[in-house]
Amino acid sequence: MSPASTRAELLRLVHRGLDVPAYARAVGELLGRLVPCEGTCLQTMDPATLLPTGEYVENGLPAAEILRLIEIELREPDVNKWAALRNAGTAAAGLGEATRGDLDRSLRQRDVRGPGGFADELRVVLATGTGTWGGLTLFREAGRRHFTPEEVAGVASLAGLIADGLRRAALLSGAAAPDDPGVLPPDDSGALVHPPDDSGVLVLAPDDSVALCDRAAGHWLDQLGTGDRAGARLPLVIATVARQARALATARRPASPPARDTALPSARDTRLPSGAAALPPARARVQTPSGWLLVRGSLLGDGPDAPVAVTLEAARAPELAPLIAAAYGLTERERRVTELVARGHPTSRIAATLHLSAYTVQDHLKSIFDKTGTSSRGDLVARLYFDHYAMRLR
């Protein structure tokens, strides 16, 4: 299958309106015909923090091993880390090429992937002009040849299109809310579920066991679920935020002498920064069946045995607006116009605030309406702040 025919199929796939699990499976199958591989893993990420919020694995590693990969990603030096690839503007990269054929120069290969029976990997950064929405990894089992530069380049040429499809699947599908504003969608038994308190708290021990959990947090855990991840005890976003809270605490403490550096000098590498400020905060936004959720973590004390408090609360407009505006591909100026429209400002006031002519504001509005599939200001506000905030006011 050629990259051109793969691109044509991807274009059709992007506009099918699939949810993320179905989209991840379809993309994996499609790329498998272009670049043979034995497994795939698509991770969704919060574009603001790059923290993983969900994973969709086909013939890959079990949940415990994936959590170890995330720990390496957040806290330890390695080759071809997601943040390093994103910062370098690299759409795709093979581990074999980055390590010059010596895969064991990668910590995640030595600790996790090699013992799991895998060899080379091809990482694809799923980024658009509006942010990084996820990462896709293609695996080859031990004994198979490494990904060639031509294969890496072929997949890299499709990365933007795959990312656009993920952006649409993650944010633009399934936005409809229940008709009754006082309830959430029915549960498996068909009973209507009344919304819990907006905010909940749970406390995690170092082994990810739940030490404390209030009623609202329990509801959010049920909403998130663990999917079909073998051996998973927590939703991925919860485990990731907890690990990021620990990584931030580690960054604040004096660093211990570095271990032997096995990565090549030329390999793309992201090292633990000297200060916590260099790391993204322990927070992520994720979609649930009843609306968008903001997850935040903080370490309760010091040392490796300190528990982590995780707060879960329905995302408010300030947290949601940038994410949803990015989902529709609005430019920075279009986002500002949309924000002022949402505040009820007329065209003349928007023009004065942004130092534009009224005609230019109208042009921006036309573009915004086209991108969001709306036809009026009221329709626009409903689409951005109501349809995507399915947790209704009581």
Side-chain angles (χ1 to χ4, degrees):
M1 191 173 188
S2 68
S5 58
T6 304
R7 175 174 290 275
E9 286 203 36
L10 266 175
L11 277 170
R12 290 191 289 270
L13 186 63
V14 164
H15 295 283
R16 281 177 57 187
L18 300 175
D19 61 14
V20 175
Y23 180 74
R25 286 192 299 270
V27 167
E29 293 171 2
L30 186 57
L31 289 183
R33 298 200 294 270
L34 174 67
V35 179
C37 60
E38 280 71 56
T40 62
C41 177
L42 189 150
Q43 285 187 344
T44 55
M45 300 176 183
D46 185 312
T49 61
L50 225 65
L51 294 185
T53 57
E55 62 186 359
Y56 306 90
V57 180
E58 294 291 332
N59 302 319
L61 294 163
E65 281 72 13
I66 290 178
L67 289 178
R68 173 58 185 146
L69 291 178
I70 290 174
E71 287 181 345
I72 294 172
E73 201 74 32
L74 296 178
R75 304 174 65 175
E76 303 176 49
D78 204 0
V79 184
N80 280 359
K81 293 176 71 169
W82 292 117
L85 295 176
R86 187 272 312 269
N87 292 341
T90 303
L95 186 62
E97 184 179 6
T99 59
R100 299 178 188 170
D102 187 359
L103 298 179
D104 281 345
R105 290 182 180 273
S106 164
L107 175 59
R108 64 179 177 276
Q109 176 66 22
R110 295 196 310 273
D111 274 16
V112 182
R113 301 184 64 261
F118 291 97
D120 200 13
E121 68 173 14
L122 198 170
R123 282 190 160 192
V124 189
V125 180
L126 303 181
T128 68
T130 59
T132 302
W133 300 92
L136 174 64
T137 306
L138 281 63
F139 307 108
R140 280 187 175 159
E141 293 178 348
R144 292 288 307 278
R145 65 176 175 83
H146 292 175
F147 292 101
T148 66
E150 292 74 22
E151 288 173 327
V152 174
V155 175
S157 69
L158 303 171
L161 185 56
I162 299 171
D164 188 51
L166 177 61
R167 173 181 66 86
R168 292 167 181 263
L171 299 173
L172 304 184
S173 63
D179 292 333
D180 185 344
V183 298
L184 302 179
D187 60 19
D188 292 338
S189 68
L192 296 177
V193 181
H194 291 274
D197 295 334
D198 283 349
S199 181
V201 179
L202 68 152
V203 177
L204 300 180
D207 64 353
D208 279 348
S209 60
V210 178
L212 294 170
C213 179
D214 64 17
R215 177 178 173 272
H219 175 87
W220 287 121
L221 288 177
D222 291 340
Q223 288 281 299
L224 288 168
T226 58
D228 55 1
R229 296 160 54 233
R233 295 191 296 171
L234 288 171
L236 182 68
V237 66
I238 303 293
T240 297
V241 166
R243 279 160 175 75
Q244 183 67 351
R246 294 188 182 280
L248 287 166
T250 299
R252 294 187 186 102
R253 294 194 292 267
S256 57
R260 180 177 65 92
D261 186 4
T262 57
L264 290 174
S266 61
R268 302 174 185 91
D269 187 11
T270 299
R271 301 183 177 280
L272 191 67
S274 58
L279 290 174
R283 65 189 297 274
R285 297 157 298 182
V286 63
Q287 196 177 45
T288 76
S290 59
W292 282 89
L293 182 67
L294 177 63
V295 183
R296 291 180 288 193
S298 59
L299 198 65
L300 300 177
D302 297 313
D305 296 328
V308 174
V310 179
T311 61
L312 305 96
E313 60 181 314
R316 308 293 181 183
E319 293 93 15
L320 269 187
L323 189 68
I324 296 169
Y328 287 103
L330 303 184
T331 66
E332 184 61 34
R333 180 54 57 83
E334 289 168 348
R335 294 187 203 190
R336 289 286 291 124
V337 171
T338 301
E339 177 187 347
L340 296 174
V341 167
R343 292 179 179 178
H345 293 182
T347 297
S348 58
R349 186 169 177 183
I350 294 173
T353 301
L354 300 181
H355 305 289
L356 302 172
S357 71
Y359 295 105
T360 301
V361 171
Q362 292 295 345
D363 287 341
H364 284 310
L365 281 172
K366 182 179 183 302
S367 176
I368 293 167
F369 291 156
D370 289 342
K371 289 181 178 180
T372 58
T374 55
S375 58
S376 68
R377 295 180 183 223
D379 193 14
L380 171 65
V381 173
R383 176 66 56 87
L384 291 181
Y385 298 106
F386 192 67
D387 287 355
H388 289 274
Y389 185 32
M391 173 67 77
R392 302 293 209 218
L393 296 174
R394 300 196 179 110

